[in-house]
Amino acid sequence: MEIHARWTKILKDMWNNRSRSMLVILSIAVGVAAVGMITNGSRILKRDLYGAHLAGNPSQLNIYVSPFQEELVTAVEGAREVEHAEPRRTVGALVYDQKNWEDIRLTVIPDFDDIPVNQLTLEAGSPTPSIREVLLERQSAAGLGVEVGDEIVVEMSDERRYALTVSGIVHDLYNSPYAISGEASGFIKMETLEWLGETPYYTYMQVSVSENQTDKEYVLATGEMIRDRIIEPAGYRVSRTDIPGYGSEPGEHWAQKPINGFLLILQIMSVMAIFLSGGLVINTVTAILTQQIRQIGIMRSIGAVRSQITQMYVVNILVFAILGLILAIPLGLLGAWGIGLLAATFMNFNLGPIDISPGLLILQVVLAIVMPVAAALYPIMAGTEISIYDAVYQHGLMSKNAEKHGLINELLHKLRRLSAPILLSLRNTFRNKTRLAFTMVTLTLAGAMFISVFSTRTSLTHQISEVARYVNYDAAISTPGGVNKYTAEREALRIPGIEIAEGWALGSATVIHSDGVEGTDIELVGLPYDAATIDPDMIEGRWLTQDDDWQVVVNEDLLDEESEIHVGGDLILKIDGMERTYQVVGVTSKHLSGERAYISYSTFGKITGRQNEADTIRVRADAGKISNASTQDELADLLEERFENAQLSTSSADTQHAIFSYFTSAFDIILLILIIMAAILAIVGSLGLTGTMGINVLERTREIGVLRAVGASTNAVRQVVVTEGVVVGLISWLLGAILSAPTGFVLGSAVVNALFQTDLAYKYSFIGLGIWLVIIILIGVLASLAPARNAVLLTVREVLDYE
Amino acid sequence: MTKNNGSKQTEQLISLRDLHKDYHTAAGPFPALKGIDLSVDRGEFLTVIGKSGAGKSTMINVITGIDSPTSGEIVIDGAPIHAMTEDQVARWRGDNMGVVFQFFQLLPSLNLIENITLAMDFRNSYPLKERKERALHLLEQVGIAEHAYKTPSKISGGQQQRVAIARALANDPQLILADEPTGNLDSRTAAGILDLFEQLVDQGKTLLLVTHDEDIASRATRTITIANGRIVNGHVDGN
Ligand SMILES: Nc1ncnc2c1ncn2[C@@H]1O[C@H](COP(=O)(O)OP(=O)(O)OP(=O)(O)O)[C@@H](O)[C@H]1O
Ligand SMILES: [Mg+2]
């Protein structure tokens, strides 16, 4: 088959410059694949997680009620506004996993044959457990290593142990899975709960409304209506109504807000990747054209018109684009599959087919084609715009420009004492400023992103340590129903090694607005003004003092919800049906506790009628500092034993380190994904540097020949090139370091906001800065090794031919 | 196609009238051509000689349309080169003029055949299927058909210049212009190239050749001397 000579030229040029062609193709592929990976991964996650969630008919409202029986639910379902109401009771217990006792929550479901909301999906066994049987959530079953037919031993709060047969394994999308909460989950009948020694009653209901299911205001109003018109008139007390999830809208998956926020961050990063690869394409195409200017002139001297030349190079780019696309589509799919798999394991959902939507396919095609062509259009136009005369005879013109970078040269003059090869490298570095700028921008962005990910991690850790100030104990044990504070504290202090024991009282309250309307439900904490197990970070005002009675300190979470509240102002709280006015004296930082108000212990006793009672005892071994994890565990064991023997509590004790370890594992997966994105950016950056170095070496063929001719050793030539690569890397590192301060804040805030809907306590990561320094030096060396090798291999003949 | 064999046209092929060319330099305009008047007939073998810096290359670049004059007229075979756009000149040149450079200027990635067919490709002058055959024929004519599939870097400078001449002939132009085509070659190789040019003149082509070498000039039908941007001797007949 005959082929037009101009296409032969393009194909042969591509082939003769394979590594550079590869570079352009990879640049396109990485950017387009990143977009594909994130866009498709997001779509698959949303399709499979949210889809399955919706398919199980999610409820929109939880109503927490004093102990009730099923009849109350029948009454609630009688309301026209209510579609379904399902009674539930969840009790905490311990389960033995052959090694340790782990937490398990057992949820009572009245009728396993008819679960109208938040449906479970059977994975194995039978869907209807009989008495003494349990359905285990699949992640819990896997975590505990049990199968259908096995027995699990649970220990109830009264210390008695029972064997439950696992009659089935189910999939539950409506609660935080084992991988995140670290708490196993099982479902039982009420009869089983009774057999487990508990009184048979329900404590909350899951409600789905008949209409406006996604209207938050409506759903909450319906909750209030149910409370005021049905539940409370029937003699029950509603402690709280809320929409399930972390800031979710009604009917949304419980983690939809944080997940979507996180996906948005990834989306933004993928857009950055495509911009960076566009920059790379511009850089390389400019270099190709610069190198081909004389050839363009020759072609025009033998009859080519401008449009023919333009067409040739556009086709050249199109071939790159198509090859890049061919790589990008499967790469993107692979990445999407990876993201999907990670998310599915973590969030406990089933991954559907890893397909690609026509929309995304079109987007990828358009991006892969349009991005490089758009990026290359200007250099192509500029390249063909040069007159034939200049193209053929004045090719050297370009380098003349390079001589007039006065400031930098002057600077270099001052650095005269540097060795000649290094000086040469430095001068070379600034030879082509546009190209340098592009490389610099790419590497700087990659670096800033990389450091930002680390700063986000450091900030999260810092955030946790800030939160730890509010959980400033070694161990704590809850005393459900309340025990005498002084007895309990004395008992705790009898444990050898315990220096501080503090009883706190906990209750709930509702904020009443100045117009009498009910506002946020909050947690009310009664504690000694000089409590040692809290080290509040005061944002405004002051902490409680000895003389405070009707004074309260609120946290910032409450301030966000209730704009009326301010330091020095009044706060009306409804507690046990009684409204009272308190004075706000201070605001603490957010601490992942939800809305809270702190009040003096004695006042708490007065207003709740629970004088001298404590709901939790918090202990410390050392007044000066928090103990290490193993000491905390020991203290917790001793505390459990002591309180059990003294018949104060049969609960298991918490330790500070255990509370935070779950957070850390959730962060780690998020940081892993962020680091993958940063790595993609770093790859794009190093591709850019490799390209730039290759082009620089090519353009300097003659100069290198001269260097060789005057006796420069192979090593000296290599050193010139590698030094240049490292210098570019180091400059970009410096710029990246500066840029990473704001970008780290933005990324960290976005992540923290997505995950906790709270503000970031920003901490810059100097470790990240250090790691990036090492990486950038490696990139600088690696990216220049191949070009350096080429430079070393240049023969005198090639140098002379180069002209 | 505007190609012709000169039978029914006038004798005159090239006509330059009061040609000026100023280069823009940092020190202001520099006049390289200061009013050139010249007419070349069909079938002439014209050499242009002169000292370095006299303006020879400038003149040939202006005639080929590779550079444009500051003022004056260039009419070749009735076509007003000075009034055409760069693309128009490119097309015209592709069809009617073969240019040979001092440094050969072959495309490094293409083999010798492709270097020649490329010229046909841009002008779409011969059917795709015939181009290769024609290129081979031209390579034969310049005596290096055995290297047809090599790239330019694999052959000697003299051989490269032969390819450049073959390429100049690709679209069968009536006029060949060459700026010091032997300037980069040793005298024996140069002599071979010169033989080639003489063959072309024998075939009826018109040849305009810039050279430093008075020996070469002596083989031309006519030689003009340029000094300081002007033609200093009008007509010197060859021997
Ligand atoms: N691009 C340019 N810019 C400025 N001046 C130029 C340029 N090209 C040529 N000149 C000047 O114009 C004059 C004529 O140059 P030209 O190249 O035509 O000389 P030439 O006769 O071909 O010389 P040589 O025999 O060395 O090739 C010279 O003085 C030269 O310095
Ligand atoms: Mg010259």
Side-chain angles (χ1 to χ4, degrees), chain B residues 53 55-58 102 179-180 210 212:
Chain B
K56 308 181 294 293
S57 295
T58 306
Q102 179 176 359
D179 189 357
E180 299 190 41
V210 169
H212 265 125

Side-chain angles (χ1 to χ4, degrees), chain A residues 4-6 8-9 12-13 16 294-295 298-301 303-306 308 388-389 392-393 797, chain B residues 23 61 66-67 86-87 90-91 93 101 105 107-110 114 117-118 121-123 131 153 167:
Chain A
H4 285 275
R6 65 187 99 156
T8 311
K9 166 167 164 53
K12 285 193 168 176
D13 280 347
N16 290 340
R294 177 180 289 109
Q295 297 195 29
I298 298 166
M299 289 190 283
R300 296 185 61 195
S301 78
V305 292
R306 239 175 228 137
Q308 286 174 319
I388 306 182
Y389 177 76
V392 177
Y393 292 101
R797 162 113 201 240
Chain B
Y23 284 115
N61 286 333
I66 283 174
D67 206 355
E86 247 193 288
D87 270 356
R91 275 191 212 102
R93 188 172 45 235
F101 299 93
Q105 310 288 22
L107 298 191
S109 54
L110 296 179
E114 290 156 352
T117 53
L118 187 64
D121 190 20
F122 285 130
R123 294 308 309 134
R131 286 178 193 163
S153 63
R167 180 181 64 185

Side-chain angles (χ1 to χ4, degrees), chain B residues 72-94:
Chain B
E73 284 179 10
I74 309 155
V75 179
I76 304 178
D77 199 14
I81 304 296
H82 59 276
M84 293 187 193
T85 66
E86 247 193 288
D87 270 356
Q88 285 170 331
V89 179
R91 275 191 212 102
W92 194 90
R93 188 172 45 235

Side-chain angles (χ1 to χ4, degrees), chain A residues 500-574:
Chain A
I500 294 172
E502 244 167 38
W504 288 18
L506 308 172
S508 59
T510 308
V511 175
I512 306 297
H513 295 168
S514 48
D515 57 7
V517 175
E518 286 193 5
T520 316
D521 289 329
I522 66 166
E523 186 177 26
L524 190 66
V525 181
L527 77 176
Y529 72 93
D530 56 353
T533 61
I534 184 169
D535 174 23
D537 179 12
M538 300 308 295
I539 294 201
E540 230 192 311
R542 58 168 178 84
W543 182 242
L544 297 172
T545 62
Q546 192 167 11
D547 305 324
D548 287 333
D549 286 321
W550 305 103
Q551 281 74 19
V552 292
V553 168
V554 299
N555 62 6
E556 215 191 347
D557 306 67
L558 180 54
L559 230 57
D560 282 355
E561 288 295 317
E562 299 288 345
S563 49
E564 277 186 3
I565 300 176
H566 59 95
V567 171
D570 285 346
L571 170 64
I572 308 170
L573 290 177
K574 185 162 119 181

Side-chain angles (χ1 to χ4, degrees), chain B residues 7-239:
Chain B
S7 51
K8 51 188 184 304
Q9 276 96 353
T10 53
E11 276 297 287
Q12 195 189 53
L13 180 65
I14 303 176
S15 154
L16 309 183
R17 242 170 290 158
D18 196 24
L19 207 55
H20 286 260
K21 172 69 183 177
D22 294 347
Y23 284 115
H24 300 287
T25 66
F30 175 83
L33 298 182
K34 303 171 180 167
I36 300 272
D37 290 287
L38 177 69
S39 97
V40 181
D41 288 342
R42 289 178 203 282
E44 261 196 279
F45 177 6
L46 181 76
T47 54
V48 180
I49 58 171
K51 289 189 183 138
S52 184
K56 308 181 294 293
S57 295
T58 306
M59 183 179 92
I60 204 166
N61 286 333
V62 167
I63 298 174
T64 54
I66 283 174
D67 206 355
S68 53
T70 308
S71 68
E73 284 179 10
I74 309 155
V75 179
I76 304 178
D77 199 14
I81 304 296
H82 59 276
M84 293 187 193
T85 66
E86 247 193 288
D87 270 356
Q88 285 170 331
V89 179
R91 275 191 212 102
W92 194 90
R93 188 172 45 235
D95 290 335
N96 302 293
M97 206 188 266
V99 184
V100 178
F101 299 93
Q102 179 176 359
F103 291 100
F104 331 135
Q105 310 288 22
L106 300 173
L107 298 191
S109 54
L110 296 179
N111 66 30
L112 308 189
I113 295 181
E114 290 156 352
N115 259 290
I116 296 166
T117 53
L118 187 64
M120 305 179 211
D121 190 20
F122 285 130
R123 294 308 309 134
N124 203 17
S125 54
Y126 293 87
L128 186 56
K129 285 199 179 73
E130 291 170 21
R131 286 178 193 163
K132 186 176 168 188
E133 206 180 312
R134 176 170 168 78
L136 265 171
H137 173 75
L138 289 170
L139 285 173
E140 248 163 49
Q141 203 183 326
V142 298
I144 44 164
E146 73 265 35
H147 300 301
Y149 293 95
K150 290 183 179 169
T151 53
S153 63
K154 298 286 186 294
I155 58 175
S156 72
Q159 290 168 328
Q160 287 188 50
Q161 196 59 300
R162 285 164 186 270
V163 181
I165 293 167
R167 180 181 64 185
L169 297 170
N171 293 327
D172 194 23
Q174 51 187 324
L175 174 62
I176 310 281
L177 292 107
D179 189 357
E180 299 190 41
T182 58
N184 231 23
L185 303 172
D186 64 71
S187 52
R188 247 190 50 196
T189 319
I193 296 289
L194 214 60
D195 290 342
L196 257 176
F197 280 125
E198 281 185 330
Q199 281 174 35
L200 295 180
V201 178
D202 291 345
Q203 287 165 27
K205 306 274 184 210
T206 309
L207 201 71
L208 200 157
L209 202 150
V210 169
T211 182
H212 265 125
D213 190 340
E214 304 240 3
D215 282 349
I216 295 175
S218 66
R219 295 167 74 165
T221 51
R222 177 159 65 117
T223 298
I224 58 168
T225 306
I226 294 197
N228 206 8
R230 290 197 180 88
I231 296 178
V232 288
N233 65 330
H235 298 267
V236 173
D237 290 319
N239 43 347

Side-chain angles (χ1 to χ4, degrees), chain A residues 99-419:
Chain A
K99 274 195 286 300
N100 298 304
W101 287 95
E102 302 253 349
D103 287 320
I104 184 169
R105 43 171 206 268
L106 295 169
T107 301
V108 178
I109 292 180
D111 182 0
F112 280 89
D113 287 324
D114 175 26
I115 305 178
V117 293
N118 304 341
Q119 289 152 352
L120 306 173
T121 317
L122 187 72
E123 301 249 306
S126 143
T128 49
S130 311
I131 187 163
R132 296 192 288 276
E133 286 182 348
V134 64
L135 296 185
L136 273 185
E137 210 295 316
R138 67 179 194 187
Q139 257 197 10
S140 309
L144 297 172
V146 296
E147 288 168 13
V148 173
D150 290 353
E151 271 189 354
I152 57 168
V153 177
V154 297
E155 183 180 299
M156 301 305 289
S157 57
D158 60 3
E159 277 283 285
R160 280 203 214 141
R161 291 180 183 171
Y162 303 86
L164 290 172
T165 305
V166 178
S167 64
I169 289 174
V170 291
H171 181 203
D172 171 24
L173 272 174
Y174 301 91
N175 289 290
S176 174
Y178 189 59
I180 295 178
S181 67
E183 200 180 29
S185 160
F187 301 90
I188 52 174
K189 301 176 59 145
M190 190 54 103
E191 285 89 331
T192 308
L193 187 70
E194 246 186 300
W195 175 71
L196 290 171
E198 295 279 337
T199 321
Y201 57 80
Y202 296 98
T203 54
Y204 63 102
M205 52 182 85
Q206 299 175 331
V207 176
S208 81
V209 297
S210 326
E211 51 191 18
N212 303 330
Q213 291 191 331
T214 54
D215 181 343
K216 191 172 187 171
E217 298 267 303
Y218 176 83
V219 169
L220 285 173
T222 308
E224 276 169 32
M225 186 281 293
I226 295 171
R227 179 193 60 196
D228 296 343
R229 295 228 306 268
I230 305 168
I231 301 179
E232 292 196 335
Y236 299 93
R237 204 164 48 78
V238 170
S239 60
R240 193 156 55 95
T241 58
D242 65 19
I243 288 164
Y246 290 118
S248 302
E249 294 295 310
E252 279 183 355
H253 182 268
W254 57 270
Q256 197 148 337
K257 274 265 151 54
I259 290 175
N260 288 356
F262 184 61
L263 292 177
L264 181 68
I265 294 167
L266 292 183
Q267 201 74 259
I268 292 169
M269 290 176 90
S270 74
V271 170
M272 254 169 78
I274 202 94
F275 271 107
L276 292 188
S277 48
L280 272 189
V281 173
I282 294 184
N283 233 4
T284 319
V285 171
T286 308
I288 292 177
L289 281 147
T290 310
Q291 205 202 333
Q292 296 234 330
I293 284 200
R294 177 180 289 109
Q295 297 195 29
I296 291 173
I298 298 166
M299 289 190 283
R300 296 185 61 195
S301 78
I302 60 171
V305 292
R306 239 175 228 137
S307 58
Q308 286 174 319
I309 307 277
T310 308
Q311 195 191 27
M312 280 173 76
Y313 289 99
V314 168
V315 167
N316 189 347
I317 301 301
L318 281 177
V319 174
F320 287 151
I322 289 165
L323 291 175
L325 182 66
I326 290 172
L327 267 181
I329 289 175
L331 262 181
L333 270 175
L334 200 70
W337 178 68
I339 286 196
L341 207 62
L342 218 59
T345 315
F346 190 57
M347 298 301 305
N348 189 24
F349 65 94
N350 295 328
L351 208 54
I354 305 299
D355 52 6
I356 189 164
S357 67
L360 175 60
L361 205 59
I362 292 170
L363 177 71
Q364 283 191 292
V365 171
V366 169
L367 272 182
I369 306 288
V370 171
M371 181 270 285
V373 172
L377 218 54
Y378 175 74
I380 290 179
M381 287 317 206
T384 55
E385 206 61 10
I386 297 179
S387 78
I388 306 182
Y389 177 76
D390 286 341
V392 177
Y393 292 101
Q394 310 234 293
H395 186 44
L397 265 188
M398 308 250 157
S399 48
K400 279 188 194 156
N401 295 335
E403 305 308 325
K404 33 178 198 193
H405 36 56
L407 193 84
I408 289 162
N409 254 2
E410 220 169 87
L411 202 80
L412 291 177
H413 265 293
K414 295 197 178 129
L415 297 174
R416 266 284 152 78
R417 269 161 296 170
L418 293 171
S419 79

